């Protein structure tokens, strides 16, 4: 994922309501997320579907690595059950 550009990628909720299609085009073309704010505070992030899917895959791989590491620690510590 590309880093955000604060001057372009932080938008108030009102712009999402009135310029939603433009924001979706921006997200798709730049591959940068857009942060949506309400009363000056971030409340949501708009991502392209491709970026979202990449994040989900990265998270899945991370969780799998964590599970394998935990299982390896259990084996090293003898905390296993016979079949």
């Amino acid at each position: 994922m590309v880093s955000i550009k604060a001057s372009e990628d932080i938008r108030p909720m009102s712009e999402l309501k009135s310029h939603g299609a433009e924001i979706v085009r921006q997200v798709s073309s730049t591959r940068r997320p857009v942060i949506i704010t309400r009363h000056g505070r971030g409340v949501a992030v708009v991502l392209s579907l491709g970026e979202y899917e990449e994040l989900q895959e990265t998270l899945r791989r991370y969780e799998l690595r964590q599970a394998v590491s935990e299982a390896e620690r259990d084996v090293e510590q003898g905390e296993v059950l016979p079949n």
Side-chain angles (χ1 to χ4, degrees):
M1 183 182 319
V2 181
S3 298
I4 67 164
K5 290 185 179 179
S7 63
E8 299 174 16
D9 300 336
I10 299 175
R11 303 276 192 88
M13 180 75 73
S14 60
E15 281 192 35
L16 180 61
K17 291 176 183 176
S18 61
H19 296 95
E22 176 188 318
I23 291 171
V24 169
R25 275 192 298 277
Q26 175 185 336
V27 165
S28 295
S29 67
T30 66
R31 296 194 60 177
R32 295 191 315 261
V34 170
I35 297 171
I36 304 300
T37 62
R38 183 184 315 143
H39 307 297
R41 301 185 80 129
V43 294
V45 176
V46 179
L47 293 171
S48 71
L49 182 57
E51 291 296 315
Y52 176 77
E53 290 172 341
E54 284 180 31
L55 281 173
Q56 292 297 322
E57 181 63 18
T58 299
L59 178 60
R60 187 192 65 76
R61 287 181 181 172
Y62 172 78
E63 289 172 341
L64 179 60
R65 272 188 246 130
Q66 289 296 103
V68 169
S69 293
E70 186 177 320
E72 288 172 342
R73 277 192 305 276
D74 288 347
V75 169
E76 288 172 5
Q77 296 172 359
E79 296 178 9
V80 295
L81 298 174
N83 283 337

